[in-house]
Amino acid sequence: MNTASASTSAAGADDAPGGLPDTDTPPGRHFEPDLRSMTRINLRPIASPMPLGFFTVAIASVMTGCLQLGVFETEARRAVALCVLPAFALQFLVSILAFGARDVIAATLMAVFASSWLAYSLIMFSGAADGLRVLGVFNLALLCFGALMAAVTRPKRALWLVLVVSLPRWAATGLSGLTGAEWLTRTSGALGLVAALVAAYAAFALMLEDMRSEEVLPIGRSGPAHAAVEGDLGVQLRNLERQAGVRRTL
């Protein structure tokens, strides 16, 4: 007797009432019971990675801004590149944690910031030919990305403010790389220090909020971002079954 056929017949006999084969079930197929009532979705609280991300932006911006302002000599480019390189690893980690926390906007922004620090570090450390012009085009591409992100991040005011002060810096850095204008380089360096101050404030405010479970310094959340922090658990779990990682496809 064929073993596979015997197993199929046995399964059909078990599924039918009275031990009789189920004539409505096609041969060779076995239907599982509806498992939706048995499904559980587990959520794991984590510490917010955003203070780390913003502090990393602040420190890296100070280093690159000081180089552009002439605080460091031109020969210090490789040293600055080495100081900025860890920003890639830290912000990449922040991006992964933000994806796990279901915040696609913060995760995307931190991942792009991480890639920008990596590109800057590799080009400045290697001294690649025409590297400043390449970084100029890269920063103009970042400017386009930042403009699109700024259009959707306004409810997350901390992210939005960091983007708003980063946009003119990316523009100045891009144009200075393409034109070689010294005043644009200095302007970019000054804007980098402004971006560092804004990012440090956002990081400190978010850290205080996370520690005390309440807003201490104003962050200015609105809309869905405000509801996510101030709303109840039902708001957080709304449409959970349709989110990435739960639904079948992205």
Side-chain angles (χ1 to χ4, degrees), residues 14-103:
D14 291 340
D15 292 340
L20 296 177
D22 186 359
T23 57
D24 294 333
T25 303
R29 299 185 64 183
H30 177 68
F31 291 93
E32 295 288 345
D34 190 350
L35 301 179
R36 284 176 293 182
S37 61
M38 301 167 56
T39 301
R40 297 292 183 269
I41 299 173
N42 297 318
L43 302 178
R44 183 181 63 182
I46 63 172
S48 174
M50 296 311 296
L52 173 61
F54 284 135
F55 273 131
T56 301
V57 171
I59 295 171
S61 296
V62 167
M63 299 305 298
T64 56
C66 287
L67 180 63
Q68 291 173 314
L69 287 172
V71 176
F72 305 129
E73 299 295 333
T74 305
E75 292 76 12
R77 286 181 176 178
R78 298 182 68 182
V80 171
L82 289 176
C83 288
V84 171
L85 184 58
F88 157 71
L90 291 175
Q91 292 206 277
F92 185 66
L93 173 63
V94 171
S95 174
I96 293 174
L97 293 174
F99 276 119
R102 302 184 295 146
D103 193 332

Side-chain angles (χ1 to χ4, degrees), residues 190-202:
L191 291 172
L193 297 184
V194 174
L197 288 174
V198 174
Y201 172 83

Side-chain angles (χ1 to χ4, degrees), residues 78-215:
R78 298 182 68 182
V80 171
L82 289 176
C83 288
V84 171
L85 184 58
F88 157 71
L90 291 175
Q91 292 206 277
F92 185 66
L93 173 63
V94 171
S95 174
I96 293 174
L97 293 174
F99 276 119
R102 302 184 295 146
D103 193 332
V104 66
I105 293 177
T108 301
L109 185 63
M110 289 294 127
V112 173
F113 269 123
S115 68
S116 69
W117 299 129
L118 179 62
Y120 176 89
S121 299
L122 293 178
I123 289 178
M124 297 299 284
F125 183 80
S126 65
D130 219 13
L132 292 180
R133 288 180 60 83
V134 172
L135 282 178
V137 175
F138 183 73
N139 277 275
L140 292 179
L142 283 177
L143 176 64
C144 298
F145 160 80
L148 293 175
M149 289 293 293
V152 298
T153 57
R154 191 175 183 87
K156 295 175 175 290
R157 198 57 57 88
L159 281 172
W160 184 76
L161 285 174
V162 173
L163 271 175
V164 165
V165 297
S166 297
L167 291 178
R169 191 199 183 188
W170 286 334
T173 303
L175 293 175
S176 68
L178 292 176
T179 64
E182 187 67 21
W183 70 273
L184 282 173
T185 302
R186 304 296 186 196
T187 300
S188 177
L191 291 172
L193 297 184
V194 174
L197 288 174
V198 174
Y201 172 83
F204 187 64
L206 289 172
M207 184 174 290
L208 283 178
E209 180 183 72
D210 197 60
M211 291 174 60
R212 301 187 183 181
S213 299
E214 61 180 358
E215 185 177 290

